[in-house]
Amino acid sequence: MKKISNAVELFKGEFQFKISANSISLFPKSQLPEFAFFGRSNVGKSTLLNSLTNQKKLARTSNTPGRTRGINFFQLENILSIIDLPGYGYAKISKSEIKHLSNLIHEYLISRKNLRKVFLLIDARHGPKINDIEIANFLQEFGINFQMILTKSDKISTKKLKQIIEFTNNEISCNLALTGEIIVTSSKENLGYDLIRKEIYKIINS
Ligand code: GTP
Ligand code: MG
């Protein structure tokens, strides 16, 4: 593998869409370190993935109509993969599909040996909702490493942001030394993506 000396350089590489897996048997057999992104529908996941990877159309690729709704795998050369988990709280899909997807996500989260971290996205305007808290609890219960990201920070004042950070830390009590501090992002201000890149770089080199 070629030597990559920092996080910015790492993310200059090209991510390729691998598969949208809607059953466990379709998960790639890859042993590469994986980083999953998870959160409510409309939280800004696709936007974040596109900014993070410097590939404007990456996350949309997997959302083109006709492709099955599933867990999307994107691979960066022979280095790592990024996983786009289906968003939750979306009202327009059937109960049976919600059940199928949540089983699939649970299965992915608990069985994926190469999953190194889950980034849990939360809308900075609202802070964590009940299902975000349930997911954070689930991740902690199963010893899955995770870190919180507050998205759309440009939509609120600095004062409100401070309150939301505090509120989020209170609602989701976790060991910050272990998870890392909350990362604040904004697509409008191109904020926070370097911190995520650095975190990923740090983990794959640890
Ligand atoms: P689904 O795939 O539908 O679950 O949504 P998603 O979580 O992928 O959200 P998406 O990235 O599509 O963003 C939803 C909306 O929020 C879009 O209109 C984005 O332009 C907007 N958005 C995302 N991130 C930001 C941000 O940081 N700031 C602002 N102002 N808008 C944002
Ligand atoms: Mg999306």
Side-chain angles (χ1 to χ4, degrees), residues 39-50 59 63 69 84-88 90 121 123 125 150-155 185-189 191 193:
R40 295 173 68 83
S41 189
N42 201 45
V43 70
K45 207 151 48 74
S46 300
T47 306
L48 183 140
L49 290 177
N50 292 343
N63 285 338
R69 218 171 236 281
D84 181 6
L85 293 170
Y88 43 90
Y90 184 60
L121 277 59
D123 192 318
R125 290 172 297 180
L150 288 175
T151 61
K152 310 190 188 184
S153 68
D154 56 275
K155 288 190 181 256
T185 64
S186 160
S187 62
K188 286 257 159 74
E189 292 162 0
L191 182 76
Y193 307 118

Side-chain angles (χ1 to χ4, degrees), residues 147-184:
Q147 184 163 6
M148 290 177 280
I149 295 179
L150 288 175
T151 61
K152 310 190 188 184
S153 68
D154 56 275
K155 288 190 181 256
I156 56 170
S157 68
T158 314
K159 187 169 168 226
K160 180 90 196 292
L161 180 63
K162 259 180 95 178
Q163 289 167 352
I164 290 281
I165 291 172
E166 205 180 311
F167 172 70
T168 306
N169 277 326
N170 288 337
E171 290 293 298
I172 300 179
S173 53
C174 52
N175 184 348
L176 288 181
L178 206 72
T179 61
E181 299 281 341
I182 294 174
I183 294 176
V184 174

Side-chain angles (χ1 to χ4, degrees), residues 12 14 43 49 73 79 86 103 114 130 138 151 165 193-194:
K12 280 188 179 150
E14 194 186 343
V43 70
L49 290 177
F73 291 76
I79 306 171
N103 284 342
N114 47 337
I130 184 77
F138 170 86
T151 61
I165 291 172
Y193 307 118
D194 266 339

Side-chain angles (χ1 to χ4, degrees), residues 46-147:
S46 300
T47 306
L48 183 140
L49 290 177
N50 292 343
S51 298
L52 186 73
T53 59
N54 307 301
Q55 287 172 237
K56 288 192 176 64
K57 289 183 179 161
L58 185 81
R60 204 197 286 160
T61 323
S62 53
N63 285 338
T64 41
R67 275 224 177 102
T68 38
R69 218 171 236 281
I71 297 183
N72 300 323
F73 291 76
F74 302 95
Q75 191 175 317
L76 172 61
E77 296 164 17
N78 225 356
I79 306 171
L80 61 88
S81 298
I82 275 180
I83 312 307
D84 181 6
L85 293 170
Y88 43 90
Y90 184 60
K92 283 193 185 147
I93 59 174
S94 68
K95 281 215 170 94
S96 67
E97 194 175 358
I98 291 174
K99 191 157 194 287
H100 171 72
L101 281 178
S102 72
N103 284 342
L104 190 68
I105 293 166
H106 275 216
E107 201 53 47
Y108 170 81
L109 291 172
I110 60 176
S111 69
R112 199 72 176 166
K113 299 261 182 320
N114 47 337
L115 174 61
R116 304 294 293 276
K117 185 167 242 183
V118 175
F119 289 98
L120 184 58
L121 277 59
I122 295 166
D123 192 318
R125 290 172 297 180
H126 317 299
K129 303 258 180 160
I130 184 77
N131 36 12
D132 301 315
I133 296 167
E134 279 168 8
I135 282 157
N137 288 341
F138 170 86
L139 295 170
Q140 294 195 79
E141 207 177 301
F142 282 87
I144 301 163
N145 195 8
F146 77 103
Q147 184 163 6

